[in-house]
Structure formats: structure tokens, C-alpha cells
Amino acid sequence: HEKDLSLFRFKMVYTRFIEIGRVVLLLEGEFKNKIAIVIDVIDSNRALIDGPGLGVPRHAANFKTMAITDLTIKIAAGAREGPVLKAIKKADVATKWDATTWAKKLAARSKRTSLNDFERFQVKVNKQKRARIVRTEFRKLKKSA
């Protein structure tokens, strides 16, 4: 006997796909930690990406060297630099990217690596002060309970 599949709700597990207009994060090379837009898919391994105004020139990039983000913009396949720049500004891609937790983590990591010895010491001392405050409050609550 046949089962009626309309009773089941199928939910796709994976939602980020390489598509034209997808915003990607470059993971390696000269443009590491910069975002770009997929302009065209060349083959099963590479895509043509461009990031006018984002600091990434148009070039072919391997899928292994990029991470797919949740952001997309509406552009035509193989669009030239002018329309891509307009679409990026219209969609406000840079601000949307900066608002993501992913971008914030990358910014925090780069800030952390750029600290000098004294700044690292200040971070350590502030961490200790914060932990001391939290510990004393926790002990007060524990004692009153």
C-alpha cells in the first residue's frame, strides 16, 4: 500500500548553497577574511567572485578557499563591476556582514592578535578583576540561599 507523503513535512538540512549573488568569506590568500560576491559558477570547483568596494578584485576562486555566508544579493549572472557595486550598496552588504556574530568574532580575533605585551597584560588584569567580582557575588548568593 502507498503512503501519502503530503502528511510529512520535509525540512532541508542544508540551506547555504553556492548561487549567483551569494556573499562568501575568503579564507585563504591575499584577500583572507574579506567578503566577496559570487558572480558566476565556472565549474564544480571554482566560482568567479568580485567585491567592488569590498577590497576584492574579480577573480576565479576555489570553493575550498571560501566559506558561504547567509547573505545574498540580487544580481544577474556574469554582471559587470558597475551593477555589482550598485547591488552591494543597495543591499548594504558591508553593514549586514559587520552585524553578524561571525564578523564580530573575526574582528575580535584580529584585535586580539594585534595587541602588544602591555595590552595583553591589561586584558589579563581586567579578566582577573571581573572574575573576582563575579566570584564574590556568587559566594554572597550561595551564602544567602
Side-chain angles (χ1 to χ4, degrees):
H1 66 266
E2 243 179 74
K3 287 187 177 181
D4 186 17
L5 293 178
S6 63
L7 298 173
F8 301 103
R9 294 227 179 252
F10 292 103
K11 187 175 180 195
M12 290 181 63
V13 179
Y14 192 73
T15 55
R16 292 181 189 163
F17 298 103
I18 284 287
E19 58 185 312
I20 292 159
R22 176 68 68 181
V23 179
V24 293
L25 174 71
L26 302 174
L27 302 173
E28 293 176 14
E30 187 181 345
F31 310 107
K32 184 176 180 175
N33 293 338
K34 289 192 177 185
I35 55 171
I37 314 298
V38 174
I39 304 300
D40 207 350
V41 177
I42 298 170
D43 57 30
S44 61
N45 295 315
R46 297 176 305 149
L48 182 66
I49 61 170
D50 195 4
L54 302 170
V56 180
R58 182 175 290 228
H59 68 281
N62 196 313
F63 292 135
K64 292 175 184 173
T65 65
M66 61 177 89
I68 306 167
T69 67
D70 287 330
L71 305 173
T72 55
I73 62 170
K74 206 164 179 69
I75 56 166
R80 295 177 74 145
E81 203 168 298
V84 173
L85 183 60
K86 282 181 186 171
I88 288 172
K89 286 187 177 164
K90 185 181 176 193
D92 207 18
V93 172
T95 2
K96 284 181 183 173
W97 169 248
D98 290 337
T100 64
T101 53
W102 193 352
K104 288 174 186 172
K105 281 180 188 176
L106 287 173
R109 188 182 297 155
S110 70
K111 173 75 174 141
R112 203 108 201 226
T113 57
S114 69
L115 295 179
N116 64 29
D117 188 44
F118 182 64
E119 290 167 333
R120 278 194 299 277
F121 172 74
Q122 286 178 314
V123 168
K124 183 190 87 161
V125 169
N126 289 333
K127 231 178 181 180
Q128 288 173 339
K129 285 180 183 175
R130 183 178 178 276
R132 198 170 292 125
I133 292 167
V134 169
R135 194 180 321 109
T136 54
E137 288 299 314
F138 176 73
R139 286 181 179 158
K140 282 179 192 172
L141 290 170
K142 195 175 177 184
K143 201 171 194 179
S144 68

